[in-house]
Amino acid sequence: MTMPPLRLALLVSLAMLAFAGNSLLCRMALKATSAGDSGIDAASFTVMRMVSGAGVLWLLVQLRSVQRTDPASPPAPTVKTLGGNWLSAAALFAYAMCFSLAYVSMPAATGALLLFGAVQATMTGYGLWQGERLGKRQLAGLALALAGLVVLMLPGLAAPSLLSAVLMITAGVSWGIYSVRGKRGSAPGAAATDPTRETAGNFVRTVPMVLLWALLARHQLTPDGMGLWLAFLSGAVTSGLGYAIWYHALPALKTTQAAVVQLSVPVIAALGGVVLLAESLSLPMVLASAAVLGGIALVTLGRK
């Protein structure tokens, strides 16, 4: 699949902003819980996030169906006609569950670093296994981006607990698998032809999974009002719409490019933490951000 470079850059930029927004919204919602105060729990947050994301995506597909068919009798999308598959939905659910559980006791920037480090490792490893190769400039860009991330997290890095780190790395591997499957499409060897339907189908399939989790954790549920609102924003905007945009851009990217470009998310999350979580802006943060973005540029520009 080919796409005009400007359009591709815009879609990728919007998707990265959405991914960073997920980290910030989740940490904001669960911060009270980690401090021992009254706040939303991880299961309630995830249920609202995935249900609202599924609802928004289903509505988008329905509106498109109305535009393309007779308005008097538009066919309502079903799970089968939405696209996607249960394996991709399982990877999406595993990502969302581990993501929320990890952010109960992890700063936003640290979580984003572990998450997308695992995503990058998963997708780059898959790309290399499939025969993709990085040129010297791309390897230098990858090294520069990784070095920038390390420098970014050194000032004031809050070391997470082992359990939280394992949960976030698992979330990253699951998201990497979901992205790889999204690039391949529902059918073996096929690219996703309708990204919105594919994403909607996967989100709808996660609903019974998150409801089962909530049922099992029903005695620990604390559905805080503000937390539910933040979870709704995470599901409807930064997850539902953000993932649909990412799914649309994925076929135009190499697997290694798709992996490395997501290294920008910890930078965006760290800068967002300055504004939303009152974290300080330091010179090392600015220099590290420039290194990460410059490294991504070297990788995505290709060999030429």
Side-chain angles (χ1 to χ4, degrees):
M1 174 182 175
T2 59
M3 186 181 297
L6 184 59
R7 182 184 180 189
L8 179 61
L10 177 62
L11 291 177
V12 170
S13 298
L14 289 174
M16 297 306 102
L17 288 172
F19 294 168
N22 275 324
S23 290
L24 294 169
L25 289 170
C26 187
R27 180 56 187 157
M28 289 172 63
L30 296 171
K31 190 174 183 180
T33 302
S34 65
D37 300 328
S38 176
I40 194 170
D41 62 285
S44 297
F45 181 91
T46 308
V47 169
M48 174 58 77
R49 178 187 179 188
M50 304 312 289
V51 170
S52 60
V56 166
L57 288 165
W58 184 91
L59 181 60
L60 286 176
V61 173
Q62 177 72 347
L63 291 175
R64 291 172 59 190
S65 298
V66 171
Q67 294 174 354
R68 295 177 182 179
T69 61
D70 182 6
S73 57
T78 63
V79 172
K80 183 178 292 186
T81 60
L82 280 176
N85 55 82
W86 286 103
L87 287 177
S88 292
L92 181 60
F93 166 71
Y95 149 75
M97 178 181 66
C98 294
F99 181 87
S100 298
L101 289 172
Y103 264 132
V104 170
S105 59
M106 181 180 293
T110 305
L113 168 65
L114 290 174
L115 176 71
F116 286 96
V119 171
Q120 189 270 342
T122 302
M123 296 189 68
T124 300
Y126 178 81
L128 295 175
W129 181 62
Q130 289 292 100
E132 293 184 16
R133 292 293 179 265
L134 299 179
K136 292 182 179 179
R137 176 183 293 182
Q138 292 172 305
L139 288 172
L142 176 59
L144 180 62
L146 291 174
L149 282 175
V150 172
V151 174
L152 173 66
M153 297 306 167
L154 285 178
L157 175 61
S161 67
L162 178 60
L163 178 59
S164 296
V166 170
L167 285 169
M168 190 59 81
I169 291 171
T170 303
V173 172
S174 300
W175 175 249
I177 293 172
Y178 179 73
S179 294
V180 168
R181 291 186 61 82
K183 183 175 174 60
R184 291 165 50 195
S186 295
T193 57
D194 192 333
T196 303
R197 282 184 179 272
E198 292 284 327
T199 311
N202 290 328
F203 263 77
V204 169
R205 286 176 172 85
T206 66
V207 172
M209 302 180 193
V210 294
L211 291 178
L212 177 60
W213 179 28
L215 179 63
L216 295 174
R218 61 188 179 277
H219 299 299
Q220 288 79 37
L221 298 181
T222 56
D224 172 72
M226 179 56 69
L228 289 175
W229 172 242
L230 294 172
F232 174 81
L233 289 178
S234 178
V237 181
T238 57
S239 292
L241 297 180
Y243 293 0
I245 292 172
W246 178 238
Y247 230 150
H248 190 73
L250 264 178
L253 296 170
K254 290 183 179 180
T255 304
T256 48
Q257 291 175 330
V260 176
V261 75
Q262 293 180 79
L263 291 175
S264 64
V265 176
V267 176
I268 302 171
L271 295 176
V274 172
V275 178
L276 300 176
L277 302 177
E279 297 178 357
S280 60
L281 180 64
S282 62
L283 179 60
M285 180 183 292
V286 175
L287 296 177
S289 299
V292 172
L293 296 176
I296 290 172
L298 288 174
V299 173
T300 54
L301 285 176
R303 297 172 183 266
K304 294 184 179 180

